Amino acid sequence: MLEVVRAGPLVTVQDAGRIGLRAFGVSAAGPMEPDAMVLANALAGNTPEMAVLEFASVGGTFRATKDMYVAVTGSDAALWIDDSPARPCQTLSLSQGQTLRVGSLGSTLWGYIAVLGGIACDPVMGSRSTQLRFALGGHLGRTLEAGDTLPVGPCTAPPSLRKATSRPASSALAEIRVLLGPQDDFFSQEVLTRFLSAYYSVSPKFDRMAMTLEGPSLEAEKGHDIVSDGTLPGSIQVPGSGVPLVLMAEGQTTGGYPKIATVIGADLPRLAQLRPGTRLSFKAVTLDEAENALVTSRKATRAMLSSLGSADPIQPTSERLLSVNLISGVWPEDEASPNG
Amino acid sequence: MSARILSCGEQALTVELGQSVDESVNRRVIALAQALQINPVPGVLETVPTYRSLLVRFDPEVTRGAAMKEMLQDRLNGLTEGLDLAPGRLWRLPVAYGGSTGMDLRDLAADKDLSADALIAMHSAATYRVYMIGFSPGFAYLGGLPRKLHTPRLVTPRQLIPEGAIGIGGQQANINSIAGPSGWRFIGWTPVRIFDPDRAEPFLLCAGDRVQFEPVSPEQAADVAARQVAGETVMQPEDAS
């Protein structure tokens, strides 16, 4: 079990998501930045889709009720095991009774805590992801609170100790690529030009459903009501206020506002990670460019996962193996790891 | 009108078959969704039928967008004549009209110069069509509400409407699938859970189904609710006829 001693304001259980139920009004939920979740799982020795804790900005304090392996991802998270500083983006071992304290993320918004064996709350409709709006899945369908205890799944073997090289910090000004449509024809050429040339900033009003943007208003010459149609994460809706908002992992499945554009798959996780106040601009790309960017980003994810280094750069010696075994009971068998 | 296939990012397309809420357009939407089920296009992950369009999610690493557009157009052209006329499943849902959940029954009847019984008779005589599911899990937008019963939504939504509440909003009818705030007017309650995440089939209804409401007494409704809690399957669709 993992005990929640203190929880940040928005900590939820997430796995790969509740896929394939949009026709029944259920969005997938799942991680805001899938790559960071997959990396946390890989470092903890899990398969990519296993359930983790997702947090916004600040994690919290968690106590291990048994020996366990964990990993924390999401840029430069400040971590402590009991009172000793620890490093994000690598396998960490927690002994029974020890606490993991996850402080603030420096440059991104969403971080992930993976535990070997996965968070093992009961799946709802095939997924452990929390859908906050309708209180589905996760831990009682809600954000975690102090005093919660989370079951951890069984693990057959300790993971290899691994680490990832830290990612470059996001720039202060982001360019987010979009494909125009499906309702770009509701807007005049002048408004489309404004949308693509103006700067927007990320509003402090964000959640797992949508990200609201601050910037020039976008009036739709054909009106701000459409006969409701399907929406997706990345859909940029423009309600009557003219202020665009981007639907995210838990966004509704249908909507009655015109959608001026859709954030491309390669850039949606980047957008999700922008902290409130960050400036951004939108750039229209072609379908080919969007598809190529998706293929490239998926390749980069696979490359990142296959290039995880050993957490200890020192070559194994018998003395070291002995010491590692004494400390953690782990054989540093990076090459033989199922994730290697 | 001819279809428009619209971009929704590189991983989805919207096939738009009309501009308005229209039963014949919605029938074609459902028929296209069925055609994609019967004869799948490689890479399609899921489809989402709405009033007048079908959202198609797919993996462009399996089928790129340009090829997907052609294949969707092909499926549209190949829609068998009459396939779009097949009636959906018919559900006869028991409804206890009035009561605490049907709090608007008397006021609504008075507004329309009807007795409560006459309003119930009118509401339960119609056959409704599930145009789409959206807004919340399993929430069905029902077309076919008799014109006399069309009623604007409340300006200020009520904070907590129970699951199973039978509502009217504008030109549409609905069954509240999950307790929550709502601006619709409510005239009754069905004990049948149209959404239950713990059931093997969590969702009772899908787009294209037909629904009728059958007036029952509060005691009969309570009995259905009790049998349902005990794990009994209380509702089966009737054969399409």
Side-chain angles (χ1 to χ4, degrees), chain A residues 20-24 26 133-134 179-182 185 227 229-230 232 254 262 264-265 288 291-292 294-295 298, chain B residues 4 6-12 19 46-48 50-53 57 59-61 64-65 133 135-138 203:
Chain A
L21 297 180
R22 301 189 77 84
F24 297 102
V26 180
R133 186 170 173 215
F134 302 114
L179 270 172
L180 289 177
D185 63 345
V227 175
D229 69 2
L232 290 162
T254 60
T262 312
I264 71 169
D288 265 350
E291 287 173 340
N292 292 339
L294 181 73
V295 171
R298 286 181 180 174
Chain B
R4 298 200 302 162
L6 308 171
S7 153
C8 295
E10 79 285 1
Q11 297 171 78
Q19 295 294 334
E46 65 183 316
T47 63
V48 185
T50 53
Y51 287 113
R52 41 85 189 225
S53 46
R57 267 190 67 229
D59 182 352
E61 275 196 283
R64 304 268 296 203
I133 309 274
F135 176 67
S136 67
F203 307 96

Side-chain angles (χ1 to χ4, degrees), chain A residues 178-231:
Chain A
V178 299
L179 270 172
L180 289 177
Q183 280 93 29
D184 49 322
D185 63 345
F186 270 58
F187 301 85
S188 66
Q189 196 54 52
E190 183 204 333
V191 171
L192 286 174
T193 305
R194 189 186 313 155
F195 169 63
L196 294 171
S197 58
Y199 291 119
Y200 285 89
S201 69
V202 178
S203 145
K205 277 195 306 186
F206 71 90
D207 56 24
R208 288 180 37 81
M209 287 170 57
M211 179 181 257
T212 308
L213 301 174
E214 291 171 348
S217 161
L218 304 170
E219 61 281 4
E221 60 179 2
K222 289 193 193 169
H224 291 268
D225 288 301
I226 63 166
V227 175
S228 287
D229 69 2
T231 54

Side-chain angles (χ1 to χ4, degrees), chain B residues 29-52:
Chain B
V29 171
I30 308 295
L32 178 60
Q34 287 170 346
L36 286 167
Q37 234 165 22
I38 294 163
N39 187 8
V41 172
V44 170
L45 301 171
E46 65 183 316
T47 63
V48 185
T50 53
Y51 287 113
R52 41 85 189 225

Side-chain angles (χ1 to χ4, degrees), chain B:
Chain B
M1 69 173 268
S2 63
R4 298 200 302 162
I5 302 184
L6 308 171
S7 153
C8 295
E10 79 285 1
Q11 297 171 78
L13 289 165
T14 286
V15 184
E16 191 180 274
L17 298 173
Q19 295 294 334
S20 55
V21 179
D22 177 303
E23 178 162 349
S24 65
V25 172
N26 188 248
R27 282 178 184 279
R28 288 194 76 212
V29 171
I30 308 295
L32 178 60
Q34 287 170 346
L36 286 167
Q37 234 165 22
I38 294 163
N39 187 8
V41 172
V44 170
L45 301 171
E46 65 183 316
T47 63
V48 185
T50 53
Y51 287 113
R52 41 85 189 225
S53 46
L54 185 72
L55 180 83
V56 180
R57 267 190 67 229
F58 63 96
D59 182 352
E61 275 196 283
V62 179
T63 302
R64 304 268 296 203
M68 180 61 67
K69 256 188 192 181
E70 280 178 25
M71 289 191 207
L72 291 176
Q73 187 61 56
D74 208 51
R75 291 291 188 282
L76 265 179
N77 299 342
L79 280 188
T80 317
E81 199 69 36
L83 174 63
D84 60 346
L85 295 177
R89 299 177 299 175
L90 175 63
W91 303 88
R92 275 186 218 280
L93 297 176
V95 174
Y97 283 92
S100 60
T101 304
M103 62 202 90
D104 295 319
L105 176 66
R106 290 190 181 283
D107 287 352
L108 216 57
D111 280 357
K112 308 208 175 273
D113 283 328
L114 292 170
S115 66
D117 283 348
L119 189 153
I120 292 168
M122 197 177 278
H123 185 261
S124 59
T127 301
Y128 300 85
R129 174 183 178 79
V130 179
Y131 274 107
M132 59 182 255
I133 309 274
F135 176 67
S136 67
F139 184 101
Y141 290 90
L142 302 175
L145 183 72
R147 185 172 295 274
K148 176 117 177 140
L149 300 183
H150 292 187
T151 311
R153 293 174 209 190
L154 297 171
V155 176
T156 309
R158 293 189 180 104
Q159 275 313 298
L160 189 65
I161 298 296
E163 178 186 338
I166 300 295
I168 288 175
Q171 306 175 29
Q172 297 178 94
N174 89 314
I175 309 156
N176 216 31
S177 64
I178 209 166
S182 175
W184 295 49
R185 315 290 182 102
F186 291 92
I187 59 171
W189 176 72
T190 181
V192 176
R193 300 194 70 187
I194 62 166
F195 171 58
D196 176 359
D198 298 324
R199 202 163 53 195
E201 298 286 342
F203 307 96
L204 193 75
L205 305 173
C206 68
D209 282 358
R210 294 171 302 150
V211 173
Q212 290 177 347
F213 298 114
E214 190 185 338
V216 298
S217 68
E219 293 74 26
Q220 286 170 310
D223 175 60
V224 171
R227 286 190 286 124
Q228 186 172 242
V229 167
E232 195 177 315
T233 301
V234 294
M235 189 50 46
Q236 296 279 358
E238 300 191 5
D239 288 341
S241 54

Side-chain angles (χ1 to χ4, degrees), chain A residues 119-142:
Chain A
I119 303 295
C121 49
D122 290 334
V124 173
M125 296 189 287
S127 164
R128 296 186 167 89
S129 282
T130 314
Q131 165 79 278
L132 289 171
R133 186 170 173 215
F134 302 114
L136 291 175
H139 182 72
L140 306 175
R142 59 163 170 77

